[in-house]
Amino acid sequence: MSEEKSLNFIEEIVEADLASGKYQTILTRFPPEPNGYLHIGHAKSICLNFGLGLKYGGKTNLRFDDTNPTKEEVEYVDSIKEDVQWLGFSWANELYASDYFEQLYLFAVDLIKKELAYVDDLSAEEIATLKGTPTVPGMDSPHRTRTVEENLQLFADMRAGKYTDGEKVLRAKIDMSAPNMHMRDPLLYRIKHAHHHRTGDAWCIYPMYDFAHGQSDSIENITHSICTLEFIPHRELYDWLIEKLDIFPSKQYEFARLNMTYTVMSKRKLLQLVTEGHVQGWDDPRMPTISGMRRRGFTAESIRNFCDKIGVAKRENMIDFSLLEFCLREDLNKSALRVMGVLDPVKLVITNYPEGQTEELVSENGPDEAYGTRIVPFSNTLWVEREDFMEVAAKKWFRLAPGAAVRLKSAYIVRCDGFTKDAEGIVNEIHCSYLPETKSGHDTSGISVKGTIHWVSVEHALPAEVRLYERLFKAENPSTEEGDFKEYINEDSLTIIPDARVERSLANATIESRYQFLRKGYFCLDKESTPEKMVFNRTVTLKDAWSKTANKA
RNA sequence: UGGGUUAUGGUGUAAUGGUAACACAACAGAUUUUGAUUCUGUCUUUCUAGGUUCGAAUCCUAGUAACCCAACCA
């Protein structure tokens, strides 16, 4: 667009194809199997595919690769559509591989007639054995030489339901000694007497991925079929089938999938976390799913930005989680309204402030004037953060401690005169005196303090439950650690604070709004929140230079 | 030990034979009524060995390492 940003290798291919006149316009597709929820890795693919369509004036289809009825559900279809839309993309057409079943069947018949496919009676084990290994060539199936007529009849019988699951398969007739294992007479169709979420019981044979994906691309006239690296070995077969069927030559290109530290990115593993109860669902705020991140408070903008920053290449990668957090904070810093909330409250009493008096103080809502201001009520008894008080000040401590002065944000400077403890020795009250001439915005004192802390008035504050999240795994890459990835689950990834206190203005909080609780991070209302009981999720903390300083000491 | 893919700072990504750069992270400082933001600065890089060339991350040769492929999954 504006300044020159270097192209990724797929954009280079597209530009070359457009420049050479190979295509007038491009058509891409995002092709999920509806067998789980979308995660941040899919977001990379979504941004790539839809981004290409947008950038080059082409179009992008949403196509469900629903060729395995035993794993797929309508629930997943619905969630995928919601997630793609939420990310901010619109598809040209909503399509399903299952809509092409009849056409695919005819393609198979065509292949049989060309003597390029045959029905095999061998069991899965026998087929695997005859397939050989990467270093040992395979051997032909005894059924490889069946006549066209016989194959046609057998395949029709398969479709008609004359056989049980696994009794027969349709295979391509290619080369049992091919160095590429995928070319050793790959399976094209298998029998599954299973109910399909869209075609119901109309079919009992289903095409395999290799006989559905490329053909669907071709039917749709997809120009650039973009997938991840592990499909590279499939490309030879992808091209072979298109060539033999003599159909639109879609081309497959592969990029490296996204990996991120401290999480897992496979549907199988995510499904396990859900079904085994390690998280509360696909949209658990700790999950790397789009729905989980949305619930956690991520913005679509921040995810799109992240996908833009990580780039597209063919090299295996492991992205620092901190880059995602950076993109998140960058966006939230611009958009989140500033409010005050005390997560771990301890009482602060201003001994020289009139008992029962309330002042309506003005506080800014955001980083600049455009955000406006709001009123926060102030009184002589406040809740402040327990961690903002020390009985004995540490080095470089800017906050409350006996003898120390701090500013209460948007209010007055107070000096700590003392504190009391309960029977267990826990500090239960901090005593301060305030300086009337230091009122925020009208400060005539000339006094400046190093620290400013947030607070809420005890009488006016609202109770709220706050949920804090840590990374889901303790290991940077749980999938490559020894043993099961679940051994590396972080048991402390969720902290529930049942009795936090937030300022009054939050009574009007909505699910869509994001807030910065001053000094404590970005928060959003959870879907489980009710008018009687507000529930906030902490999306991400603020950067914290103090904790580093404190840890060093 | 068959085939395929990839190697650039701690992590990503650029540089397409001509000064190795950008972002994140880390570190230091300035500003700050959020120890946030913002601003300034520092840090660290071409897998190895040869070769071609005035000049190589880029081209050639030989190695090395990592990842993928032998599901009636996608």
Side-chain angles (χ1 to χ4, degrees):
Chain A
M1 293 201 281
S2 50
E3 71 257 38
E4 299 162 37
K5 198 187 166 232
S6 55
L7 305 176
N8 65 50
F9 79 101
I10 292 178
E11 290 170 329
E12 280 179 0
I13 290 166
V14 169
E15 291 202 359
D17 288 347
L18 254 16
S20 71
K22 182 175 178 182
Y23 301 117
Q24 301 304 311
T25 180
I26 63 160
L27 224 203
T28 57
R29 101 272 90 115
F30 173 62
E33 181 188 14
N35 67 344
Y37 280 62
L38 260 28
H39 53 66
I40 182 75
H42 293 106
K44 178 179 181 180
S45 173
I46 290 168
C47 291
L48 211 210
N49 278 294
F50 282 93
L52 248 20
L54 254 18
K55 179 166 181 178
Y56 295 104
K59 287 181 173 160
T60 305
N61 288 341
L62 172 62
R63 182 177 73 235
F64 291 95
D65 244 346
D66 54 349
T67 57
N68 185 355
T70 56
K71 285 189 174 175
E72 298 151 7
E73 291 173 30
V74 177
E75 176 196 348
Y76 297 133
V77 171
D78 293 340
S79 76
I80 288 168
K81 287 161 65 177
E82 184 185 1
D83 288 350
V84 173
Q85 277 174 322
W86 178 77
L87 278 172
F89 298 105
S90 326
W91 46 87
N93 300 102
E94 177 185 334
L95 302 166
Y96 295 82
S98 55
D99 287 344
Y100 309 136
F101 280 172
E102 187 63 40
Q103 175 65 260
L104 261 16
Y105 180 82
L106 295 175
F107 282 156
V109 168
D110 183 36
L111 239 32
I112 292 173
K113 286 180 179 164
K114 290 173 175 163
E115 295 191 69
L116 292 171
Y118 62 97
V119 172
D120 202 343
D121 302 354
L122 260 29
S123 69
E125 297 72 36
E126 289 166 323
I127 288 176
T129 306
L130 286 183
K131 199 163 236 171
T133 70
T135 51
V136 177
M139 279 157 44
D140 288 358
S141 163
H143 308 106
R144 201 173 196 261
T145 51
R146 287 217 249 239
T147 64
V148 169
E149 293 66 34
E150 195 182 357
N151 280 319
L152 250 18
Q153 184 59 51
L154 254 16
F155 189 48
D157 290 345
M158 279 168 65
R159 174 179 182 169
K162 289 200 181 173
Y163 304 108
T164 57
D165 290 8
E167 209 176 330
K168 287 190 166 36
V169 292
L170 183 74
R171 301 177 71 179
K173 191 190 285 189
I174 308 182
D175 178 6
M176 287 307 289
S177 60
N180 181 348
M181 298 297 287
H182 291 274
M183 299 301 276
R184 321 247 266 222
D185 288 11
L187 267 59
L188 266 22
Y189 266 93
R190 77 289 217 188
I191 298 170
K192 268 183 197 271
H193 290 270
H195 189 83
H196 186 281
H197 68 103
R198 298 192 89 236
T199 60
D201 299 313
W203 293 85
C204 64
I205 57 171
Y206 292 91
M208 298 289 289
Y209 166 84
D210 284 307
F211 197 65
H213 198 95
Q215 286 51 56
S216 301
D217 284 342
S218 185
I219 289 168
E220 294 170 21
N221 283 13
I222 298 297
T223 54
H224 302 264
S225 177
I226 300 161
C227 60
T228 46
L229 255 28
E230 63 269 29
F231 290 96
I232 288 177
H234 294 253
R235 190 176 58 226
E236 190 179 356
L237 178 55
Y238 182 104
D239 290 338
W240 186 90
L241 285 166
I242 281 179
E243 184 204 323
K244 299 305 179 193
L245 256 12
D246 194 24
I247 53 180
F248 181 83
S250 299
K251 289 291 178 191
Q252 172 180 309
Y253 301 96
E254 312 87 6
F255 69 97
R257 69 182 326 133
L258 167 69
N259 296 297
M260 247 188 352
T261 55
Y262 301 107
T263 188
V264 292
M265 210 75 86
S266 91
K267 280 196 212 166
R268 201 196 94 242
K269 292 190 175 111
L270 294 174
L271 177 63
Q272 247 182 89
L273 292 175
V274 172
T275 55
E276 295 173 15
H278 296 104
V279 295
Q280 277 150 28
W282 284 100
D283 71 344
D284 187 297
R286 291 166 292 181
M287 290 281 272
T289 52
I290 305 296
S291 52
M293 293 168 74
R294 176 168 60 234
R295 184 172 170 192
R296 170 95 167 240
F298 277 75
T299 58
E301 166 79 9
S302 67
I303 294 174
R304 276 187 260 116
N305 249 324
F306 171 73
C307 290
D308 190 50
K309 280 194 161 67
I310 58 178
V312 177
K314 299 189 78 155
R315 168 159 51 146
E316 297 281 346
N317 59 76
M318 177 63 71
I319 309 284
D320 264 344
F321 197 83
S322 58
L323 182 60
L324 218 207
E325 290 189 328
F326 167 81
C327 294
L328 219 206
R329 291 190 183 109
E330 184 186 42
D331 188 39
L332 257 15
N333 180 48
K334 288 184 292 191
S335 57
L337 296 176
R338 314 289 133 123
V339 296
M340 291 196 280
V342 178
L343 269 30
D344 184 12
V346 61
K347 212 169 261 185
L348 180 148
V349 178
I350 303 172
T351 50
N352 61 340
Y353 193 89
E355 173 96 40
Q357 179 175 317
T358 299
E359 261 187 280
E360 309 258 286
L361 299 174
V362 178
S363 192
E364 66 274 18
N365 295 334
D368 67 63
E369 287 178 6
Y371 292 82
T373 57
R374 69 187 187 291
I375 299 297
V376 285
F378 181 80
S379 67
N380 79 324
T381 311
L382 312 174
W383 293 117
V384 296
E385 211 70 61
R386 183 171 291 279
E387 66 170 18
D388 284 340
F389 175 77
M390 281 185 100
E391 293 179 39
V392 180
K395 257 197 293 182
K396 292 194 181 170
W397 179 254
F398 302 159
R399 312 178 192 174
L400 285 169
V406 298
R407 175 171 289 281
L408 297 171
K409 173 69 183 173
S410 298
Y412 301 90
I413 290 176
V414 294
R415 183 172 300 280
C416 177
D417 305 317
F419 59 93
T420 60
K421 291 182 174 182
D422 64 14
E424 275 94 53
I426 310 286
V427 173
N428 59 2
E429 225 173 81
I430 300 165
H431 297 150
C432 292
S433 45
Y434 86 116
L435 279 43
E437 68 280 15
T438 59
K439 181 168 176 172
S440 185
H442 308 86
D443 195 327
T444 55
S445 69
I447 300 170
S448 74
V449 290
K450 293 281 266 182
T452 299
I453 64 171
H454 60 283
W455 53 272
V456 290
S457 166
V458 169
E459 187 195 334
H460 306 90
L462 270 19
E465 176 177 311
V466 175
R467 298 173 184 172
L468 309 180
Y469 305 101
E470 300 285 332
R471 48 178 65 127
L472 234 195
F473 289 90
K474 289 177 286 194
E476 266 207 6
N477 189 352
S479 302
T480 56
E481 290 290 335
E482 227 168 279
D484 192 87
F485 78 99
K486 286 181 287 211
E487 292 170 31
Y488 300 91
I489 288 176
N490 175 11
E491 303 297 342
D492 305 318
S493 58
L494 169 65
T495 304
I496 294 180
I497 298 175
D499 52 0
R501 300 295 150 86
V502 301
E503 67 171 64
R504 199 177 52 183
S505 73
L506 252 8
N508 306 315
T510 60
I511 276 284
E512 296 80 29
S513 329
R514 334 268 160 161
Y515 300 93
Q516 184 194 102
F517 285 14
L518 241 48
R519 307 206 300 136
K520 297 312 293 180
Y522 295 98
F523 294 76
C524 69
L525 211 58
D526 187 76
K527 67 174 190 184
E528 289 175 0
S529 196
T530 63
E532 293 73 39
K533 183 188 169 196
M534 284 195 286
V535 178
F536 287 96
N537 293 317
R538 181 161 69 189
T539 308
V540 65
T541 60
L542 258 25
K543 276 220 227 163
D544 182 5
W546 164 248
S547 70
K548 286 177 191 166
T549 313
N551 286 338
K552 262 185 269 178

Short mmCIF file of all heavy atoms in Angstrom, two decimals, chain A residues 108-149:
data_model
loop_
_atom_site.label_atom_id
_atom_site.label_comp_id
_atom_site.label_asym_id
_atom_site.label_seq_id
_atom_site.Cartn_x
_atom_site.Cartn_y
_atom_site.Cartn_z
N ALA A 108 -13.96 -40.31 -10.19
CA ALA A 108 -13.40 -41.64 -9.89
C ALA A 108 -13.73 -42.62 -11.00
O ALA A 108 -12.88 -43.41 -11.43
CB ALA A 108 -13.94 -42.13 -8.54
N VAL A 109 -14.96 -42.56 -11.48
CA VAL A 109 -15.37 -43.44 -12.59
C VAL A 109 -14.50 -43.15 -13.81
O VAL A 109 -14.05 -44.07 -14.50
CB VAL A 109 -16.87 -43.22 -12.90
CG1 VAL A 109 -17.24 -43.89 -14.22
CG2 VAL A 109 -17.72 -43.77 -11.75
N ASP A 110 -14.24 -41.89 -14.03
CA ASP A 110 -13.40 -41.48 -15.15
C ASP A 110 -12.02 -42.11 -15.04
O ASP A 110 -11.47 -42.65 -16.01
CB ASP A 110 -13.30 -39.95 -15.17
CG ASP A 110 -12.51 -39.44 -16.36
OD1 ASP A 110 -12.62 -40.06 -17.45
OD2 ASP A 110 -11.78 -38.45 -16.20
N LEU A 111 -11.48 -42.06 -13.83
CA LEU A 111 -10.15 -42.63 -13.59
C LEU A 111 -10.16 -44.15 -13.84
O LEU A 111 -9.23 -44.71 -14.41
CB LEU A 111 -9.75 -42.34 -12.14
CG LEU A 111 -8.46 -41.54 -11.84
CD1 LEU A 111 -8.15 -40.51 -12.91
CD2 LEU A 111 -8.56 -40.91 -10.47
N ILE A 112 -11.23 -44.80 -13.39
CA ILE A 112 -11.34 -46.25 -13.60
C ILE A 112 -11.35 -46.55 -15.10
O ILE A 112 -10.64 -47.43 -15.59
CB ILE A 112 -12.62 -46.80 -12.94
CG1 ILE A 112 -12.52 -46.71 -11.42
CG2 ILE A 112 -12.86 -48.25 -13.38
CD1 ILE A 112 -13.80 -47.08 -10.69
N LYS A 113 -12.13 -45.76 -15.82
CA LYS A 113 -12.22 -45.98 -17.27
C LYS A 113 -10.88 -45.76 -17.96
O LYS A 113 -10.58 -46.38 -18.97
CB LYS A 113 -13.27 -45.03 -17.88
CG LYS A 113 -14.69 -45.45 -17.56
CD LYS A 113 -15.69 -44.48 -18.19
CE LYS A 113 -17.12 -44.91 -17.90
NZ LYS A 113 -18.07 -43.80 -18.16
N LYS A 114 -10.09 -44.89 -17.41
CA LYS A 114 -8.76 -44.65 -17.98
C LYS A 114 -7.73 -45.65 -17.47
O LYS A 114 -6.52 -45.48 -17.68
CB LYS A 114 -8.30 -43.23 -17.62
CG LYS A 114 -9.07 -42.13 -18.35
CD LYS A 114 -8.67 -40.74 -17.82
CE LYS A 114 -9.35 -39.65 -18.64
NZ LYS A 114 -9.32 -38.34 -17.94
N GLU A 115 -8.22 -46.66 -16.73
CA GLU A 115 -7.35 -47.69 -16.14
C GLU A 115 -6.34 -47.08 -15.17
O GLU A 115 -5.20 -47.52 -15.08
CB GLU A 115 -6.62 -48.48 -17.23
CG GLU A 115 -7.58 -49.27 -18.09
CD GLU A 115 -6.86 -50.26 -18.99
OE1 GLU A 115 -6.30 -51.23 -18.44
OE2 GLU A 115 -6.87 -50.03 -20.22
N LEU A 116 -6.76 -46.04 -14.49
CA LEU A 116 -5.87 -45.36 -13.54
C LEU A 116 -6.37 -45.52 -12.11
O LEU A 116 -5.86 -44.88 -11.20
CB LEU A 116 -5.77 -43.87 -13.90
CG LEU A 116 -5.04 -43.59 -15.22
CD1 LEU A 116 -5.18 -42.12 -15.60
CD2 LEU A 116 -3.58 -44.00 -15.14
N ALA A 117 -7.38 -46.37 -11.95
CA ALA A 117 -7.86 -46.64 -10.60
C ALA A 117 -8.46 -48.04 -10.57
O ALA A 117 -8.93 -48.54 -11.59
CB ALA A 117 -8.90 -45.60 -10.18
N TYR A 118 -8.38 -48.66 -9.38
CA TYR A 118 -8.93 -50.01 -9.27
C TYR A 118 -9.46 -50.26 -7.86
O TYR A 118 -9.05 -49.60 -6.91
CB TYR A 118 -7.86 -51.06 -9.63
CG TYR A 118 -6.66 -51.05 -8.71
CD1 TYR A 118 -6.56 -51.94 -7.62
CD2 TYR A 118 -5.60 -50.16 -8.92
CE1 TYR A 118 -5.44 -51.94 -6.79
CE2 TYR A 118 -4.49 -50.14 -8.09
CZ TYR A 118 -4.41 -51.04 -7.03
OH TYR A 118 -3.33 -51.03 -6.21
N VAL A 119 -10.36 -51.22 -7.80
CA VAL A 119 -10.92 -51.59 -6.51
C VAL A 119 -10.03 -52.67 -5.90
O VAL A 119 -9.66 -53.61 -6.57
CB VAL A 119 -12.37 -52.12 -6.67
CG1 VAL A 119 -12.87 -52.69 -5.35
CG2 VAL A 119 -13.28 -51.00 -7.16
N ASP A 120 -9.70 -52.47 -4.64
CA ASP A 120 -8.84 -53.43 -3.95
C ASP A 120 -9.61 -54.07 -2.80
O ASP A 120 -10.37 -53.39 -2.11
CB ASP A 120 -7.59 -52.71 -3.41
CG ASP A 120 -6.44 -53.68 -3.17
OD1 ASP A 120 -6.71 -54.90 -3.13
OD2 ASP A 120 -5.29 -53.22 -3.04
N ASP A 121 -9.39 -55.38 -2.61
CA ASP A 121 -10.09 -56.10 -1.55
C ASP A 121 -9.22 -56.32 -0.32
O ASP A 121 -9.67 -56.87 0.68
CB ASP A 121 -10.51 -57.51 -2.05
CG ASP A 121 -11.39 -57.43 -3.28
OD1 ASP A 121 -11.75 -56.29 -3.65
OD2 ASP A 121 -11.69 -58.48 -3.85
N LEU A 122 -7.99 -55.90 -0.42
CA LEU A 122 -7.05 -56.14 0.69
C LEU A 122 -7.47 -55.39 1.96
O LEU A 122 -8.11 -54.35 1.89
CB LEU A 122 -5.65 -55.70 0.27
CG LEU A 122 -4.64 -56.75 -0.21
CD1 LEU A 122 -5.32 -57.95 -0.85
CD2 LEU A 122 -3.64 -56.11 -1.16
N SER A 123 -7.05 -55.91 3.10
CA SER A 123 -7.32 -55.24 4.36
C SER A 123 -6.33 -54.09 4.53
O SER A 123 -5.33 -54.01 3.83
CB SER A 123 -7.15 -56.22 5.52
OG SER A 123 -5.78 -56.54 5.66
N ALA A 124 -6.63 -53.23 5.47
CA ALA A 124 -5.74 -52.09 5.73
C ALA A 124 -4.33 -52.57 6.04
O ALA A 124 -3.35 -52.01 5.57
CB ALA A 124 -6.28 -51.26 6.90
N GLU A 125 -4.23 -53.65 6.83
CA GLU A 125 -2.92 -54.17 7.20
C GLU A 125 -2.18 -54.70 5.98
O GLU A 125 -0.98 -54.48 5.82
CB GLU A 125 -3.07 -55.30 8.24
CG GLU A 125 -3.69 -54.88 9.56
CD GLU A 125 -5.18 -54.59 9.47
OE1 GLU A 125 -5.87 -55.29 8.69
OE2 GLU A 125 -5.67 -53.65 10.12
N GLU A 126 -2.91 -55.45 5.14
CA GLU A 126 -2.26 -56.01 3.96
C GLU A 126 -1.78 -54.91 3.01
O GLU A 126 -0.68 -54.99 2.45
CB GLU A 126 -3.25 -56.94 3.22
CG GLU A 126 -3.52 -58.22 3.98
CD GLU A 126 -4.74 -58.98 3.43
OE1 GLU A 126 -5.73 -58.34 3.03
OE2 GLU A 126 -4.67 -60.22 3.41
N ILE A 127 -2.60 -53.89 2.89
CA ILE A 127 -2.21 -52.78 2.01
C ILE A 127 -0.95 -52.11 2.56
O ILE A 127 -0.01 -51.79 1.83
CB ILE A 127 -3.36 -51.76 1.87
CG1 ILE A 127 -4.46 -52.36 0.99
CG2 ILE A 127 -2.85 -50.44 1.29
CD1 ILE A 127 -5.68 -51.50 0.84
N ALA A 128 -0.93 -51.92 3.87
CA ALA A 128 0.23 -51.28 4.51
C ALA A 128 1.48 -52.12 4.28
O ALA A 128 2.56 -51.60 4.00
CB ALA A 128 -0.03 -51.09 5.99
N THR A 129 1.35 -53.43 4.42
CA THR A 129 2.50 -54.31 4.24
C THR A 129 3.03 -54.25 2.81
O THR A 129 4.23 -54.10 2.58
CB THR A 129 2.10 -55.77 4.55
OG1 THR A 129 1.53 -55.80 5.87
CG2 THR A 129 3.31 -56.68 4.49
N LEU A 130 2.12 -54.32 1.84
CA LEU A 130 2.54 -54.30 0.44
C LEU A 130 3.08 -52.94 0.02
O LEU A 130 3.72 -52.81 -1.01
CB LEU A 130 1.37 -54.70 -0.47
CG LEU A 130 1.01 -56.18 -0.48
CD1 LEU A 130 -0.12 -56.45 -1.46
CD2 LEU A 130 2.22 -57.03 -0.83
N LYS A 131 2.79 -51.95 0.82
CA LYS A 131 3.23 -50.60 0.45
C LYS A 131 4.75 -50.45 0.59
O LYS A 131 5.35 -49.55 0.02
CB LYS A 131 2.53 -49.58 1.36
CG LYS A 131 2.55 -48.18 0.80
CD LYS A 131 1.51 -47.28 1.47
CE LYS A 131 0.58 -46.66 0.46
NZ LYS A 131 -0.56 -45.96 1.03
N GLY A 132 5.37 -51.34 1.36
CA GLY A 132 6.81 -51.23 1.56
C GLY A 132 7.14 -50.16 2.56
O GLY A 132 6.28 -49.75 3.35
N THR A 133 8.38 -49.70 2.53
CA THR A 133 8.81 -48.62 3.42
C THR A 133 9.55 -47.60 2.55
O THR A 133 9.78 -47.86 1.37
CB THR A 133 9.78 -49.14 4.50
OG1 THR A 133 11.01 -49.48 3.85
CG2 THR A 133 9.22 -50.34 5.23
N PRO A 134 9.91 -46.49 3.13
CA PRO A 134 10.62 -45.49 2.32
C PRO A 134 11.85 -46.06 1.61
O PRO A 134 12.21 -45.61 0.54
CB PRO A 134 11.01 -44.44 3.35
CG PRO A 134 9.92 -44.49 4.36
CD PRO A 134 9.56 -45.95 4.46
N THR A 135 12.47 -47.05 2.22
CA THR A 135 13.68 -47.59 1.59
C THR A 135 13.43 -48.90 0.86
O THR A 135 14.29 -49.36 0.13
CB THR A 135 14.77 -47.82 2.65
OG1 THR A 135 14.22 -48.56 3.73
CG2 THR A 135 15.33 -46.49 3.16
N VAL A 136 12.25 -49.50 1.07
CA VAL A 136 11.94 -50.76 0.40
C VAL A 136 10.74 -50.54 -0.52
O VAL A 136 9.69 -50.08 -0.06
CB VAL A 136 11.61 -51.87 1.41
CG1 VAL A 136 11.21 -53.14 0.69
CG2 VAL A 136 12.80 -52.10 2.34
N PRO A 137 10.87 -50.84 -1.80
CA PRO A 137 9.77 -50.62 -2.74
C PRO A 137 8.56 -51.47 -2.37
O PRO A 137 8.69 -52.53 -1.75
CB PRO A 137 10.35 -51.09 -4.09
CG PRO A 137 11.81 -51.20 -3.89
CD PRO A 137 12.05 -51.41 -2.43
N GLY A 138 7.38 -50.99 -2.74
CA GLY A 138 6.16 -51.75 -2.46
C GLY A 138 5.93 -52.81 -3.51
O GLY A 138 6.70 -52.94 -4.46
N MET A 139 4.85 -53.59 -3.29
CA MET A 139 4.52 -54.62 -4.26
C MET A 139 3.06 -54.47 -4.69
O MET A 139 2.22 -54.03 -3.91
CB MET A 139 4.74 -56.01 -3.65
CG MET A 139 6.21 -56.40 -3.70
SD MET A 139 6.71 -57.63 -2.48
CE MET A 139 5.40 -58.81 -2.54
N ASP A 140 2.80 -54.87 -5.91
CA ASP A 140 1.45 -54.71 -6.45
C ASP A 140 0.43 -55.56 -5.71
O ASP A 140 0.71 -56.69 -5.31
CB ASP A 140 1.43 -55.12 -7.94
CG ASP A 140 2.12 -54.08 -8.80
OD1 ASP A 140 2.58 -53.06 -8.24
OD2 ASP A 140 2.20 -54.31 -10.02
N SER A 141 -0.74 -55.02 -5.59
CA SER A 141 -1.85 -55.79 -5.03
C SER A 141 -2.30 -56.80 -6.07
O SER A 141 -2.26 -56.53 -7.27
CB SER A 141 -3.02 -54.85 -4.70
OG SER A 141 -4.21 -55.61 -4.55
N PRO A 142 -2.74 -57.98 -5.63
CA PRO A 142 -3.22 -58.98 -6.60
C PRO A 142 -4.45 -58.48 -7.37
O PRO A 142 -4.77 -59.01 -8.43
CB PRO A 142 -3.57 -60.19 -5.72
CG PRO A 142 -3.60 -59.68 -4.31
CD PRO A 142 -2.69 -58.50 -4.26
N HIS A 143 -5.12 -57.44 -6.85
CA HIS A 143 -6.33 -56.96 -7.53
C HIS A 143 -6.05 -55.81 -8.48
O HIS A 143 -6.97 -55.22 -9.02
CB HIS A 143 -7.36 -56.54 -6.49
CG HIS A 143 -7.63 -57.60 -5.47
ND1 HIS A 143 -7.17 -57.53 -4.17
CD2 HIS A 143 -8.26 -58.80 -5.59
CE1 HIS A 143 -7.53 -58.62 -3.52
NE2 HIS A 143 -8.19 -59.41 -4.35
N ARG A 144 -4.79 -55.52 -8.65
CA ARG A 144 -4.41 -54.35 -9.44
C ARG A 144 -4.76 -54.50 -10.92
O ARG A 144 -4.86 -53.53 -11.66
CB ARG A 144 -2.90 -54.15 -9.30
CG ARG A 144 -2.41 -52.73 -9.64
CD ARG A 144 -0.92 -52.62 -9.29
NE ARG A 144 -0.49 -51.23 -9.22
CZ ARG A 144 0.13 -50.59 -10.22
NH1 ARG A 144 0.38 -51.23 -11.33
NH2 ARG A 144 0.49 -49.32 -10.07
N THR A 145 -4.90 -55.74 -11.35
CA THR A 145 -5.09 -55.97 -12.78
C THR A 145 -6.54 -56.21 -13.16
O THR A 145 -6.85 -56.69 -14.24
CB THR A 145 -4.25 -57.19 -13.23
OG1 THR A 145 -4.56 -58.29 -12.34
CG2 THR A 145 -2.76 -56.87 -13.14
N ARG A 146 -7.45 -55.95 -12.28
CA ARG A 146 -8.87 -56.12 -12.61
C ARG A 146 -9.23 -55.31 -13.85
O ARG A 146 -8.65 -54.25 -14.10
CB ARG A 146 -9.72 -55.64 -11.43
CG ARG A 146 -9.66 -56.60 -10.25
CD ARG A 146 -11.00 -56.71 -9.56
NE ARG A 146 -10.92 -56.10 -8.24
CZ ARG A 146 -11.17 -56.76 -7.10
NH1 ARG A 146 -11.55 -58.02 -7.11
NH2 ARG A 146 -11.07 -56.14 -5.97
N THR A 147 -10.22 -55.79 -14.58
CA THR A 147 -10.62 -55.09 -15.79
C THR A 147 -11.43 -53.84 -15.46
O THR A 147 -11.94 -53.70 -14.35
CB THR A 147 -11.53 -55.99 -16.67
OG1 THR A 147 -12.73 -56.26 -15.91
CG2 THR A 147 -10.82 -57.28 -17.02
N VAL A 148 -11.51 -52.97 -16.42
CA VAL A 148 -12.29 -51.75 -16.25
C VAL A 148 -13.73 -52.09 -15.87
O VAL A 148 -14.30 -51.52 -14.94
CB VAL A 148 -12.27 -50.91 -17.55
CG1 VAL A 148 -13.29 -49.77 -17.48
CG2 VAL A 148 -10.88 -50.37 -17.80
N GLU A 149 -14.30 -53.07 -16.59
CA GLU A 149 -15.69 -53.45 -16.35
C GLU A 149 -15.88 -53.93 -14.92
O GLU A 149 -16.82 -53.55 -14.23
CB GLU A 149 -16.14 -54.55 -17.32
CG GLU A 149 -16.22 -54.10 -18.77
CD GLU A 149 -14.87 -53.74 -19.38
OE1 GLU A 149 -13.84 -54.37 -19.01
OE2 GLU A 149 -14.81 -52.78 -20.18
#
